[in-house]
Amino acid sequence: MQELSIRLPQIPDIAPLEPFDADLLRAMYRQMVLIRQFELKVNELFLQGIMPGTIHLSLGQEASVVGACMALEADDVITLTHRGHGQALAKGLSADSLMAELFGKETGCCRGKGGSLHVGDMSVGALPALAIVGASSPIAAGMAFAFKRQETGQVALNFFGEGTVNKGDWHEALNLASVWKLPVVFLCENNLYGVSTHISEVMAIEYVAERASSYGMPGSTIYGNDPIIVFQTVMAAAQRARSGGGPTLIECLTYRRGGHKRDDPGAYRPREEVEAWFKTDPIPAFRARLLKDERFSPSALDVLEEAVTATIDAAVDFALASDTPALTAALEFVYAD
Amino acid sequence: MQELSIRLPQIPDIAPLEPFDADLLRAMYRQMVLIRQFELKVNELFLQGIMPGTIHLSLGQEASVVGACMALEADDVITLTHRGHGQALAKGLSADSLMAELFGKETGCCRGKGGSLHVGDMSVGALPALAIVGASSPIAAGMAFAFKRQETGQVALNFFGEGTVNKGDWHEALNLASVWKLPVVFLCENNLYGVSTHISEVMAIEYVAERASSYGMPGSTIYGNDPIIVFQTVMAAAQRARSGGGPTLIECLTYRRGGHKRDDPGAYRPREEVEAWFKTDPIPAFRARLLKDERFSPSALDVLEEAVTATIDAAVDFALASDTPALTAALEFVYAD
Amino acid sequence: MLTDRTAPAQSSNRELTIVQALREAVREEMRRDEQVFVLGEDIRIGGSFLFTLGLLDEFGPERVLNTPISEAGFVGLAIGAAVQGMRPIIDFQYGDFIFTAFDQIIQQCAKLRYMSGGQVSIPLVFQLPTGASGRGAQHANSVETIFFGIPGLKIVTPATPYDAKGLFKSAVRDNNPVLFCVHKHLYGSKGRQLAKSSISRGHVPETEYLIPLGKGDIKKRGSEITVVANGQMLHRSLNVAEALESEGLSAEVVDPRCLVPFDTELVIDSVVRTSRIVIVEEGNERGGWGAQLAAEIANRAIGYLDAPVLRVASPNVPIPFSPVLESAVIPGESRIRSAILELMDQ
Amino acid sequence: MLTDRTAPAQSSNRELTIVQALREAVREEMRRDEQVFVLGEDIRIGGSFLFTLGLLDEFGPERVLNTPISEAGFVGLAIGAAVQGMRPIIDFQYGDFIFTAFDQIIQQCAKLRYMSGGQVSIPLVFQLPTGASGRGAQHANSVETIFFGIPGLKIVTPATPYDAKGLFKSAVRDNNPVLFCVHKHLYGSKGRQLAKSSISRGHVPETEYLIPLGKGDIKKRGSEITVVANGQMLHRSLNVAEALESEGLSAEVVDPRCLVPFDTELVIDSVVRTSRIVIVEEGNERGGWGAQLAAEIANRAIGYLDAPVLRVASPNVPIPFSPVLESAVIPGESRIRSAILELMDQ
Ligand SMILES: Cc1ncc(C[n+]2csc(CCOP(=O)(O)OP(=O)(O)O)c2C)c(N)n1
Ligand SMILES: Cc1ncc(C[n+]2csc(CCOP(=O)(O)OP(=O)(O)O)c2C)c(N)n1
Ligand SMILES: [Mg+2]
Ligand SMILES: [Mg+2]
């Protein structure tokens, strides 16, 4: 493991893209751009006062979520955090149904009953998000338990932030997953802050991945703004999980471009740190890298980006045009039949 | 750290007793015998059907609790477990008020309202026991927090079993104590089993103390049936805590002589293991060691033991002669004025 | 589909304790459905109240799992397994330990279906010994009360072996989280031994049957006053009612059996006939399920009442250890009797 | 001792929001008593509702502590500190996160004094934003309801800046754990900004004062019907009552201010005068504090009633996100109005 600074990014050597399939790389880039544009649009709608609720944007963390989700099979399952739009899109949730959910519309992925904090879609393997820090880790382990018992070969991937690892539920989940060798990947998006609080204030060790040893499981800290590194690391962990090797803890170092949520200017972060990390913005970096590869041209990427813009615009139109739920919907789905 | 087997005891080299004050050694032995006799008497009363409630005996674990408590100052504070009689006596709780409490009498340390699971006495620095596994760890950290803030120089010692370290509260407590460098000693009585469940079934690592590294705190595994080793280790940790060095995790390997509680024969434990550990019974071992030292004679120890017997008998008489609480007591102490 | 029978069949006289009835239920359900499994602390040796005794032999360690002491962890794990189509049963040593998993239950388990717009269902049974049994305040919670107001959960509090078996089988087949709360004194096991307690024994037919969740049962017919009681309090109330019968007072005793869904209609029908009601529960008086029932009576049946609604419950204190104090706090037969007689005077 | 004044002094016209009043209260108490300190997540930058804004500057990081996200850990830590003579105030970002520390609160904090026979006391204030505010089910719990039945805790639900300040100061000086639950819409802060909401502003005198815990307040006098409401529901009820006044109906509005201890006498006195009662709360109808109040009315004041006891509360569902659904679920003015009119018809 390369030595990384916990405050300032240290970008590892860039792996050559040649060994990777062009479709894969294109899909990666598209997903990252999709998330970026989605979040920027959401921000705009919020500023316009059109969008209800509260919003935690994932701008800047696209490489980690896309790298991770692309390393999974379609029927593998992820759990999402409060910062879940990117995770959901990365796993294949449609922008339409996500956008409609944020507007509380009947056509939303949760029929408008979840909202930003609870987005997800079981049909693409995204368990609707749980917004209580730490709560999803045992549940991810439980889905993995079912996969193991039912011998489906599926894997569960649990997303969480570095602020989460001081929570009891997280600890209990890692222990259980390890003791029962469950096919689960614990993926930490370490963006250095939980709301305004820097990781060094809440942990007396430097890296989250150091905690893996407490559970006898492998752990690694990687540069999270390179989707390829994340992809490879998660792929290996998923393979290990699928073949009965048990869980892995992966820590992706990354950074939020904005504050914790929409109304947070993030002023608690040192300017030097912000500037250094902003330079590592995963999207221009990956674009530049793709363009060094002869299989990609600027115009092709422009077309891709424009197509994404159209998708997002269509999603907004779809959401705005959709009906709000009937009032009787409030009484539905409390219990299953 | 000497390599110890997690199933079979490996007794470390016996340290010479010469450097230790005879009064200290005598007091250690007395406390161990006091606990042993107390617990045997409780068992007897229980079998006779005289004693109410449910009882978790600490027979066999006397060296750990006595070594630990004797390393503390009188005004240091301990938290106790469900297996707390020995811990309480070791910290100086009177046998009278402990016995009376077990009988639910008005003269009990908790006026009969606590019972076996909640014994303790603030005046000797024993916070009445909390019977929910893991719950006492953050509370011990909190007492340490107050000591640090009030600059009293006191230390808190948190007793727990090895089964406890998979609980979220424990994890959160160790992390907080470490981040805030609180004067607390986390002392694990590792008797290999939580009820019927062997440690190896619930943890994928061998020793509890390995988890200290997750919190950036020192951890050590020691042989817990030698009160001297425990005493020295806790003394060093308490000193570290008092001088601002923060918390320490200490794991004492020991063994229950009986089952988890009174009605448990403990049949889940392999015979070989039981036999090997029973041979390490801390009380005859320490007695034999004392007798190798010319400052102690068999007759003097016999006198000491008989005095303890008298103390226990007196405690039973005291408890039986004490009044049950007035019924109105049930309504008292819900709120403080 | 099996028949629903609220009265036991008379084809045989087999008597079981509640824990025996529950074990029979869980075995039948595990045989019937491969997705059913049991997890909990020390359940290989039978668990605290012998609920899992013998399960390991029949179903093996893959379906009978000893957990670490990690309630939030294994509750969450069970939720995840349930989301993926399994039907976990969690055996709690004492229901009192569930509070360390409270968030998992009320925030995750109870809400995930709703928040997801019906995308998931969580069939999950919690086997929860409840109530006071001489162990002090931390082991004496009326667990059912504390979860009573949470939408998304069902809560069962059986008092007889017959009800326990039929309700447990329904709970396992239900597609929702169900808290199955049996009073610690009612299992018919004492520590690791079967106890011969008359209140815990009762007829259980050999033929399979289900009892639907949410249907109460009139345990004794009567015309002058309605007594609603569950769990251990049902037995105390029945004893009182039977004694009063011989003194010429006809009390009806209604066992709701489930707190959620609650068979309010059954109670109201009864009150309409008797015009008096006493509600008996073991938990603290403030915020008990009895308060909700009293509120519903005050709203829907106030015109039928000839007397105030009376509740018998523990005072608002933690449960003290000392046996004399514990029995002073927990409603006993004399308090129930006094309450009934007091109401009859009005 | 400061005077207890239930009506604001008229010496000045200073108006504050609730969060400003609370900040003033906490500053005064921290100045008065060195043992008072505040801990919670991100409180150095002011916390979620600006309760701690500016505290760091005045009191420094030793008394204003940013915690890790470890609710069970820091609640337990606060308990331990309180046992040793400190007076912690825990600022929760949302009260909804307290459930991950539920065991620490109901099993340890609430019971330790009792179980120990009075050996310890635990002066500890929980600052808890409660209720629904457009964030979906996990951030919309009526926290006060879920703890309502637990002996050993006190629960305060102020609705005005005047009450908030006087009650908060009493809570800090109280020697027991106090859950101080303020509706998220009432603070007068929106995210990290102060919001200009008329309902959250009110007169707060400059001179120091305390309001005792457990004393309700009649917020509007009336003679024909009693409306009991707290928190955000108090404001909605007052609006309705004032509108009805101009239509010739005289409703009395009682604010219990504290749920535990509850000023039942004040409500009963009012009902004796009006002979009708509507109880309004935001939480789910099943098991709410309103059920307990209704039960007490049904027991103690049934003879004075001219109509059934009516409750207005949320239906028994988690809180949906969609704004249209959320406002359909949470009692609004029209539901309160209809309830009052319905009762007046009887
Ligand atoms: C148990 C709990 N406590 C507090 C919160 C409030 N909260 C939401 S997100 C968050 C910070 C989480 O930090 P991290 O895990 O690093 O994720 P990030 O926001 O950086 O993505 C906090 C404190 C919560 N949702 N749940
Ligand atoms: C949260 C919780 N879960 C379960 C229990 C039941 N219980 C009491 S003691 C115990 C075993 C504890 O094992 P360990 O920590 O090793 O202590 P030991 O009994 O060996 O002293 C269990 C499971 C409990 N008291 N609290
Ligand atoms: Mg973070
Ligand atoms: Mg143990």
Side-chain angles (χ1 to χ4, degrees):
Chain A
M1 188 180 90
Q2 195 184 334
E3 192 60 35
L4 300 170
S5 156
I6 199 71
R7 280 243 179 223
L8 299 182
Q10 285 183 20
I11 306 171
D13 296 338
I14 299 295
L17 294 181
E18 277 145 43
F20 297 95
D21 185 70
D23 287 345
L24 174 77
L25 295 171
R26 192 177 304 107
M28 257 182 197
Y29 184 64
R30 182 194 177 270
Q31 294 294 76
M32 286 168 59
V33 171
L34 179 75
I35 297 171
R36 173 66 51 100
Q37 292 201 15
F38 187 93
E39 296 287 57
L40 289 173
K41 177 60 78 181
V42 164
N43 194 33
E44 188 185 314
L45 294 164
F46 215 87
L47 285 176
Q48 289 167 7
I50 306 177
M51 181 162 276
T54 188
I55 303 281
H56 302 75
L57 298 174
S58 63
L59 291 165
Q61 304 184 195
E62 298 88 348
S64 290
V65 297
V66 168
C69 288
M70 296 208 53
L72 300 177
E73 301 294 330
D75 67 349
D76 289 338
V77 174
I78 63 168
T79 64
L80 297 78
T81 67
H82 55 285
R83 202 177 298 293
H85 307 166
Q87 296 150 355
L89 291 169
K91 192 65 177 64
L93 185 66
S94 90
D96 281 4
S97 72
L98 180 57
M99 192 66 85
E101 187 61 32
L102 302 190
F103 277 102
K105 295 300 181 73
E106 175 61 31
T107 54
C109 48
C110 301
R111 300 176 179 240
K113 290 168 95 167
S116 169
L117 287 168
H118 304 296
V119 300
D121 182 345
M122 291 300 286
S123 73
V124 301
L127 184 77
L130 304 170
I132 301 302
V133 164
S136 67
S137 297
I139 295 174
M143 295 196 293
F145 178 90
F147 299 154
K148 180 171 178 163
R149 205 46 51 93
Q150 297 163 346
E151 298 179 3
T152 64
Q154 287 160 277
V155 164
L157 183 140
N158 175 228
F159 280 114
F160 55 88
E162 89 300 329
T164 303
V165 306
N166 304 313
K167 229 13 224 169
D169 287 23
W170 181 85
H171 167 74
E172 298 190 13
L174 266 78
N175 188 62
L176 269 166
S178 168
V179 169
W180 291 349
K181 283 199 181 295
L182 303 179
V184 50
V185 179
F186 293 103
L187 195 132
C188 179
E189 292 176 69
N190 180 352
N191 59 11
L192 310 193
Y193 291 85
V195 192
S196 71
T197 304
H198 190 260
I199 182 173
S200 60
E201 286 186 78
V202 293
M203 257 176 40
I205 55 173
E206 203 161 358
Y207 295 110
V208 166
E210 294 174 56
R211 293 202 166 157
S213 69
S214 264
Y215 311 104
M217 75 170 77
S220 60
T221 303
I222 59 176
Y223 178 64
N225 280 357
D226 177 354
I228 299 284
I229 295 180
V230 178
F231 175 80
Q232 290 176 310
T233 312
V234 173
M235 180 72 91
Q239 248 152 30
R240 186 181 134 87
R242 257 185 260 285
S243 62
T248 302
L249 172 59
I250 299 171
E251 173 183 23
C252 298
L253 298 182
T254 182
Y255 207 69
R256 280 189 329 235
R257 290 191 74 77
H260 170 65
K261 49 180 184 171
R262 262 288 307 121
D263 57 17
D264 167 24
Y268 40 80
R269 303 191 298 187
R271 181 206 286 255
E272 185 203 7
E273 177 189 290
V274 174
E275 281 174 2
W277 273 101
F278 272 29
K279 285 193 199 125
T280 70
D281 189 339
I283 292 177
F286 197 57
R287 187 185 156 108
R289 220 161 128 196
L290 287 178
L291 291 180
K292 285 198 190 116
D293 185 302
E294 57 193 13
R295 292 173 292 173
F296 298 93
S297 70
S299 59
L301 295 186
D302 289 348
V303 168
L304 179 155
E305 286 163 20
E306 280 152 25
V308 167
T309 308
T311 302
I312 302 292
D313 289 343
V316 176
D317 292 344
F318 173 80
L320 291 176
S322 292
D323 288 335
T324 52
L327 294 192
T328 51
L331 305 177
E332 288 169 10
F333 300 124
V334 182
Y335 292 99
D337 292 332
Chain B
M1 189 179 87
Q2 195 184 332
E3 193 60 36
L4 300 169
S5 155
I6 198 73
R7 281 244 179 225
L8 299 182
Q10 285 182 21
I11 306 170
D13 297 338
I14 299 295
L17 294 182
E18 277 144 45
F20 296 95
D21 184 71
D23 286 344
L24 174 77
L25 296 171
R26 192 177 305 109
M28 256 183 196
Y29 184 65
R30 183 194 176 269
Q31 293 296 75
M32 286 168 61
V33 171
L34 179 74
I35 296 170
R36 175 65 52 99
Q37 291 200 17
F38 187 93
E39 296 287 56
L40 289 173
K41 176 61 75 180
V42 164
N43 194 34
E44 188 186 313
L45 294 165
F46 216 86
L47 285 177
Q48 290 167 6
I50 305 177
M51 181 163 276
T54 187
I55 304 280
H56 302 74
L57 298 174
S58 63
L59 291 165
Q61 304 183 196
E62 297 88 349
S64 291
V65 297
V66 168
C69 288
M70 295 206 58
L72 300 177
E73 302 293 330
D75 67 350
D76 289 337
V77 174
I78 62 169
T79 65
L80 295 79
T81 68
H82 56 284
R83 201 177 299 292
H85 307 166
Q87 296 151 355
L89 291 170
K91 191 66 176 64
L93 185 67
S94 90
D96 281 4
S97 72
L98 179 57
M99 192 65 85
E101 186 62 32
L102 303 189
F103 277 102
K105 295 299 182 71
E106 175 61 30
T107 54
C109 48
C110 302
R111 299 176 180 239
K113 289 166 97 167
S116 170
L117 287 168
H118 305 295
V119 299
D121 182 345
M122 292 300 284
S123 73
V124 301
L127 183 77
L130 303 170
I132 301 302
V133 164
S136 66
S137 297
I139 295 174
M143 294 196 294
F145 178 90
F147 299 154
K148 180 172 178 164
R149 204 46 50 95
Q150 298 163 344
E151 299 180 1
T152 64
Q154 287 159 278
V155 163
L157 182 141
N158 174 228
F159 280 113
F160 55 88
E162 88 300 330
T164 302
V165 306
N166 304 312
K167 228 16 221 168
D169 287 23
W170 182 85
H171 167 73
E172 298 191 13
L174 267 78
N175 187 61
L176 269 166
S178 168
V179 169
W180 291 349
K181 284 200 180 295
L182 303 179
V184 50
V185 179
F186 293 103
L187 195 133
C188 179
E189 292 177 69
N190 181 351
N191 59 13
L192 310 191
Y193 291 84
V195 189
S196 71
T197 304
H198 190 259
I199 181 173
S200 61
E201 286 187 78
V202 293
M203 256 176 42
I205 55 173
E206 204 161 356
Y207 295 110
V208 166
E210 295 173 55
R211 293 202 165 156
S213 69
S214 264
Y215 312 104
M217 75 171 77
S220 59
T221 303
I222 59 175
Y223 178 64
N225 280 356
D226 177 353
I228 298 285
I229 295 179
V230 177
F231 175 80
Q232 290 177 309
T233 312
V234 173
M235 181 71 92
Q239 248 152 30
R240 188 182 133 86
R242 257 185 260 284
S243 61
T248 302
L249 172 59
I250 299 171
E251 175 182 22
C252 297
L253 298 181
T254 181
Y255 208 69
R256 280 188 328 234
R257 290 192 72 77
H260 170 65
K261 48 181 184 170
R262 261 291 305 122
D263 57 18
D264 166 25
Y268 40 79
R269 303 192 296 188
R271 180 207 286 256
E272 185 203 8
E273 176 189 292
V274 174
E275 281 173 2
W277 274 101
F278 274 28
K279 285 192 201 127
T280 70
D281 189 339
I283 293 175
F286 198 58
R287 186 186 157 107
R289 221 161 129 198
L290 288 177
L291 291 179
K292 283 195 192 118
D293 185 301
E294 58 195 13
R295 293 174 291 172
F296 298 93
S297 70
S299 60
L301 294 185
D302 288 348
V303 169
L304 179 156
E305 285 163 20
E306 279 152 27
V308 167
T309 308
T311 302
I312 302 292
D313 289 343
V316 176
D317 292 345
F318 173 80
L320 291 176
S322 293
D323 289 335
T324 52
L327 294 192
T328 51
L331 304 178
E332 288 168 9
F333 300 124
V334 181
Y335 293 99
D337 292 332
Chain C
M1 196 55 186
L2 305 165
T3 32
D4 151 36
R5 299 186 295 190
T6 52
Q10 292 307 323
S11 59
S12 102
N13 281 320
R14 191 175 66 138
E15 294 229 320
L16 300 181
T17 61
I18 284 189
V19 74
Q20 287 171 330
L22 288 176
R23 284 205 304 257
E24 200 168 89
V26 74
R27 277 200 307 270
E28 287 173 14
E29 294 306 300
M30 287 182 81
R31 284 177 201 149
R32 189 185 56 79
D33 183 348
E34 279 243 304
Q35 297 299 334
V36 179
F37 71 101
V38 189
L39 71 168
E41 290 157 21
D42 303 290
I43 65 171
R44 291 211 207 137
I45 61 163
S48 262
F49 287 87
L50 300 184
F51 168 66
T52 60
L53 197 73
L55 286 190
L56 180 68
D57 294 338
E58 180 169 351
F59 301 102
E62 301 273 289
R63 294 179 69 193
V64 182
L65 288 102
N66 259 19
T67 61
I69 308 173
S70 305
E71 283 79 1
F74 62 70
V75 167
L77 185 138
I79 294 169
V83 163
Q84 292 297 342
M86 300 194 75
R87 306 187 85 85
I89 299 167
I90 305 183
D91 179 54
F92 273 80
Q93 298 194 329
Y94 283 72
D96 309 271
F97 309 147
I98 201 169
F99 305 120
T100 63
F102 196 68
D103 177 84
Q104 284 289 342
I105 298 169
I106 76 156
Q107 289 270 64
Q108 322 303 326
C109 189
K111 291 179 181 160
L112 188 50
R113 175 176 177 73
Y114 187 81
M115 298 191 303
S116 70
Q119 291 187 60
V120 302
S121 61
I122 305 181
L124 169 48
V125 180
F126 297 85
Q127 203 291 115
L128 297 168
T130 188
S133 64
R135 285 156 169 83
Q138 290 191 324
H139 288 70
N141 295 282
S142 290
V143 175
E144 60 281 12
T145 300
I146 295 176
F147 289 94
F148 178 62
I150 311 296
L153 305 174
K154 296 189 177 181
I155 304 178
V156 187
T157 60
T160 68
Y162 178 78
D163 287 349
K165 183 175 176 190
L167 290 165
F168 195 86
K169 286 170 66 81
S170 294
V172 175
R173 298 183 192 193
D174 199 282
N175 286 323
N176 298 284
V178 180
L179 307 188
F180 201 91
C181 306
V182 179
H183 195 281
K184 289 157 194 162
H185 281 158
L186 293 185
Y187 281 90
S189 59
K190 208 180 165 194
R192 302 240 158 73
Q193 260 122 45
L194 274 193
K196 283 191 217 87
S197 150
S198 60
I199 57 166
S200 72
R201 294 189 80 82
H203 175 62
V204 177
E206 260 125 276
T207 46
E208 203 184 5
Y209 62 97
L210 298 172
I211 299 174
L213 305 188
K215 205 151 169 294
D217 188 33
I218 296 177
K219 286 285 193 291
K220 176 184 171 302
R221 294 256 161 211
S223 57
E224 293 171 273
I225 185 167
T226 300
V227 180
V228 183
N230 70 339
Q232 181 176 228
M233 292 301 127
L234 174 72
H235 295 277
R236 296 191 178 174
S237 300
L238 278 171
N239 287 347
V240 171
E242 271 150 28
L244 288 173
E245 189 82 33
S246 65
E247 296 167 33
L249 176 67
S250 171
E252 175 146 311
V253 181
V254 180
D255 177 5
R257 296 199 291 205
C258 295
L259 298 185
V260 183
F262 196 97
D263 197 346
T264 312
E265 300 315 316
L266 187 70
V267 176
I268 289 187
D269 286 355
S270 177
V271 170
V272 167
R273 281 186 280 107
T274 64
S275 71
R276 285 182 165 79
I277 180 167
V278 176
I279 304 167
V280 189
E281 65 187 305
E282 176 170 321
N284 301 125
E285 194 254 350
R286 187 173 62 236
W289 60 262
Q292 177 70 25
L293 181 59
E296 296 200 35
I297 301 291
N299 178 247
R300 295 177 49 194
I302 202 167
Y304 298 100
L305 290 179
D306 287 344
V309 179
L310 209 57
R311 294 178 59 205
V312 180
S314 291
N316 296 319
V317 302
I319 305 304
F321 165 71
S322 187
V324 294
L325 297 184
E326 183 183 294
S327 43
V329 163
I330 305 293
E333 294 185 12
S334 69
R335 274 182 65 201
I336 299 169
R337 185 186 163 93
S338 308
I340 294 174
L341 294 178
E342 183 189 327
L343 264 203
M344 292 312 300
D345 269 359
Q346 307 211 347
Chain D
M1 196 57 184
L2 304 166
T3 31
D4 150 38
R5 300 186 295 189
T6 51
Q10 291 308 323
S11 57
S12 104
N13 282 321
R14 190 174 67 136
E15 295 229 320
L16 299 181
T17 61
I18 284 190
V19 75
Q20 287 170 330
L22 288 176
R23 283 205 305 258
E24 200 167 270
V26 74
R27 276 199 308 269
E28 287 173 13
E29 293 306 301
M30 287 180 82
R31 284 177 201 149
R32 190 185 56 78
D33 184 348
E34 280 245 302
Q35 297 299 333
V36 179
F37 70 102
V38 190
L39 71 169
E41 289 156 21
D42 302 291
I43 65 170
R44 291 210 208 139
I45 60 163
S48 263
F49 287 86
L50 300 185
F51 168 65
T52 60
L53 198 72
L55 286 190
L56 181 67
D57 293 339
E58 180 169 351
F59 301 102
E62 300 275 288
R63 294 179 70 192
V64 182
L65 289 102
N66 259 19
T67 61
I69 308 173
S70 305
E71 282 79 2
F74 62 70
V75 167
L77 184 138
I79 295 169
V83 162
Q84 292 298 340
M86 301 194 76
R87 305 186 86 85
I89 299 168
I90 305 182
D91 180 54
F92 273 80
Q93 299 195 328
Y94 284 72
D96 310 88
F97 309 147
I98 200 170
F99 305 121
T100 62
F102 196 68
D103 177 85
Q104 283 289 344
I105 298 169
I106 76 156
Q107 289 269 64
Q108 322 304 325
C109 189
K111 290 179 181 161
L112 188 50
R113 176 175 176 75
Y114 188 82
M115 299 191 301
S116 69
Q119 290 186 62
V120 302
S121 61
I122 305 180
L124 168 47
V125 179
F126 297 85
Q127 203 291 113
L128 297 168
T130 188
S133 63
R135 285 154 168 84
Q138 291 191 325
H139 288 69
N141 295 281
S142 291
V143 176
E144 60 280 12
T145 300
I146 296 176
F147 289 94
F148 177 63
I150 310 296
L153 305 174
K154 296 188 177 180
I155 305 179
V156 187
T157 59
T160 67
Y162 178 79
D163 287 349
K165 182 173 177 191
L167 290 164
F168 195 86
K169 286 170 67 80
S170 293
V172 175
R173 298 183 192 193
D174 200 282
N175 286 322
N176 299 284
V178 180
L179 307 188
F180 201 90
C181 306
V182 179
H183 196 281
K184 289 157 193 161
H185 280 159
L186 292 185
Y187 281 91
S189 60
K190 207 178 167 196
R192 302 240 158 74
Q193 259 121 46
L194 274 193
K196 284 192 216 87
S197 151
S198 61
I199 57 166
S200 72
R201 295 188 79 80
H203 175 62
V204 177
E206 261 126 275
T207 44
E208 202 184 6
Y209 63 96
L210 297 173
I211 299 175
L213 306 187
K215 206 153 169 295
D217 187 34
I218 296 178
K219 285 286 193 289
K220 177 185 170 302
R221 293 257 162 210
S223 57
E224 293 172 273
I225 185 167
T226 300
V227 181
V228 183
N230 70 340
Q232 180 174 230
M233 293 300 127
L234 174 72
H235 294 277
R236 297 192 177 174
S237 299
L238 277 172
N239 288 346
V240 171
E242 271 150 28
L244 288 173
E245 189 81 32
S246 65
E247 295 167 33
L249 175 67
S250 169
E252 175 146 311
V253 181
V254 180
D255 176 5
R257 297 199 291 203
C258 295
L259 298 185
V260 182
F262 196 97
D263 196 346
T264 312
E265 301 314 316
L266 187 70
V267 176
I268 289 187
D269 285 356
S270 175
V271 170
V272 166
R273 280 186 281 108
T274 65
S275 71
R276 285 182 165 78
I277 181 167
V278 176
I279 305 167
V280 189
E281 64 187 305
E282 175 170 321
N284 301 124
E285 194 253 349
R286 187 172 63 236
W289 59 263
Q292 177 69 26
L293 181 59
E296 295 199 37
I297 301 291
N299 178 246
R300 295 176 50 194
I302 202 167
Y304 297 100
L305 290 179
D306 286 345
V309 179
L310 209 58
R311 295 178 58 205
V312 179
S314 291
N316 296 319
V317 303
I319 306 303
F321 165 70
S322 187
V324 294
L325 297 184
E326 183 184 294
S327 44
V329 162
I330 305 294
E333 293 185 11
S334 69
R335 274 181 65 203
I336 299 170
R337 186 186 163 93
S338 309
I340 293 174
L341 294 178
E342 184 189 326
L343 264 204
M344 292 313 299
D345 270 358
Q346 304 211 349

